[in-house]
Amino acid sequence: MDDLVIGGHKFSSRLIIGTGGAANLEVLERSLLASGTQLTTVALRRADAEGGSGVLELVRRLDIELLPNTAGCRTAAEAVLTAQLAREALDTDLVKLEVHADDRTLLPDPLETLEAAERLVADGFTVFAYTNDDPVLALRLEEAGCAAVMPLGAPIGTGLGIRNPHNIELIVARASVPVVLDAGIGTASDAALAMELGCDAVLLSTAVTRAADPERMASAMRSAVEAGYLARGAGRVPQRFWAQASSPPR
Amino acid sequence: MELKINGQWQEFPDGSTVSEVLDAVGATRQGVAVAVNGEVVRRGDWAASVVPKGASIDVLTAVQGG
């Protein structure tokens, strides 16, 4: 596979793993290693007296780059402050911008997301924008200066796969920044499909961290992303209505 | 003076700096960020930055997520 380059940061893996939902740090470590990921998300929360949860030390020890998110933010102002705090705490200008409209769907709020993106880009951030599978909004986020657009396949944590593959293809067809399929992945075939549709990478958490065997699923996702990437590059055969013999006629 | 640290009111000497407040609550220095009244205070400014009375201070760090 060619390297994935986002905002000048280079990754040989096209699978981005979120750390949310892992039962414990030992399972998370084995899953991260099996996935081969070089970029992983963390959230920012109030520190207790003992300090962090240990996830920061783990990710740094594994030499994986951090992608802090703004999960839990409802407004552009909250997301901008959270990103600034993440930059200060973690010494990175990368941010996964997510502004959720409500707790039940966790769908991105398009207006707040776009406003936050404009402000974060102006403040020097490398913005990975979590967005609806809306080809118009994806372009607007790109024009705002986002380094990557990350359309959802389905709502966060649902494992429903890619509900509107054609929209993902439309986003890919017009994007000139990397497209990362984010959210909704349930199993390996979903990740492979994302890559076959032309996405540059896949971001997932729940599908691995809440699988019965997270380490094994991480390995499956790694293979799926590689397989989908190769298939996209190889160029699939056209779909046909009638059979076409693959053996010579008598 | 009273300050609200991560949502809890606590008593501190008047004129305390951000560094002194972090020491008093036993917060770790690595991998954390501080906001006073919703504004980020850069790490390099902690020692000199005096916290105003009644301020709300958030100390944040990375946790597993998304």
Side-chain angles (χ1 to χ4, degrees):
Chain A
M1 285 196 298
D2 289 344
D3 285 341
L4 170 68
V5 181
I6 300 181
H9 298 249
K10 206 183 272 190
F11 309 98
S12 61
S13 165
R14 290 174 179 266
L15 178 57
I16 305 169
I17 297 280
T19 57
N24 57 57
L25 289 177
E26 192 208 337
V27 170
L28 180 61
E29 176 168 357
R30 283 192 272 116
S31 302
L32 289 171
L33 288 172
S35 75
T37 192
Q38 295 178 333
L39 183 64
T40 189
T41 66
V42 289
L44 217 65
R45 291 292 178 269
R46 285 172 171 174
D48 55 28
E50 291 87 52
S53 59
V55 68
L56 192 55
E57 293 73 13
L58 169 63
V59 172
R60 292 220 160 115
R61 177 161 55 79
L62 298 179
D63 200 23
I64 297 172
E65 198 158 341
L66 284 164
L67 178 60
N69 69 27
T70 64
C73 293
R74 291 289 186 83
T75 65
E78 285 177 12
V80 169
L81 176 60
T82 302
Q84 290 169 338
L85 286 163
R87 177 168 64 186
E88 185 66 15
L90 306 177
D91 206 21
T92 177
D93 66 350
L94 303 185
V95 65
K96 177 187 171 185
L97 170 63
E98 42 186 321
V99 185
H100 301 152
D102 64 76
D103 287 340
R104 200 153 190 215
T105 67
L106 295 177
L107 287 170
D109 183 313
L111 304 182
E112 298 292 328
T113 299
L114 183 58
E115 186 188 331
E118 287 166 348
R119 289 165 60 180
L120 289 171
V121 168
D123 196 9
F125 283 91
T126 300
V127 179
F128 293 54
Y130 172 59
T131 173
N132 298 285
D133 56 358
D134 176 345
V136 179
L137 180 59
L139 267 189
R140 294 292 297 270
L141 288 164
E142 179 181 328
E143 286 162 9
C146 291
V149 292
M150 307 209 293
L152 54 77
I156 291 169
T158 60
L160 288 170
I162 300 174
R163 305 307 290 178
N164 197 336
H166 186 60
N167 272 21
I168 300 299
E169 284 186 291
L170 285 173
I171 291 171
V172 166
R174 294 198 292 186
S176 48
V177 295
V179 177
V180 182
L181 196 290
D182 183 5
I185 299 287
T187 188
S189 52
D190 299 329
L193 175 60
M195 300 303 289
E196 289 170 11
L197 293 173
C199 292
D200 296 282
V202 171
L203 194 163
L204 57 90
S205 315
T206 304
V208 162
T209 58
R210 295 199 163 99
D213 184 341
E215 184 180 4
R216 201 165 183 176
M217 187 58 88
S219 180
M221 292 299 183
R222 177 184 196 160
S223 297
V225 166
E226 288 176 7
Y229 175 85
L230 288 172
R232 169 77 177 187
R236 60 155 301 149
V237 296
Q239 292 178 314
R240 305 168 64 93
F241 187 81
W242 297 113
Q244 181 187 37
S246 52
S247 301
R250 272 199 259 190
Chain B
M1 62 175 174
E2 275 203 310
L3 300 174
K4 197 176 190 180
I5 311 291
N6 282 353
Q8 302 276 342
W9 287 103
Q10 290 186 46
E11 189 67 29
F12 294 91
D14 284 1
S16 293
T17 62
V18 170
S19 287
E20 287 162 351
V21 169
L22 291 178
D23 285 343
V25 300
T28 175
R29 298 303 178 89
Q30 287 302 307
V32 302
V34 176
V36 176
N37 291 332
E39 296 274 337
V40 179
V41 180
R42 307 296 302 268
R43 187 175 295 274
D45 297 333
W46 289 352
S49 182
V50 174
V51 182
K53 284 181 184 176
S56 184
I57 303 180
D58 287 300
V59 184
L60 294 103
T61 191
V63 299
Q64 285 175 233

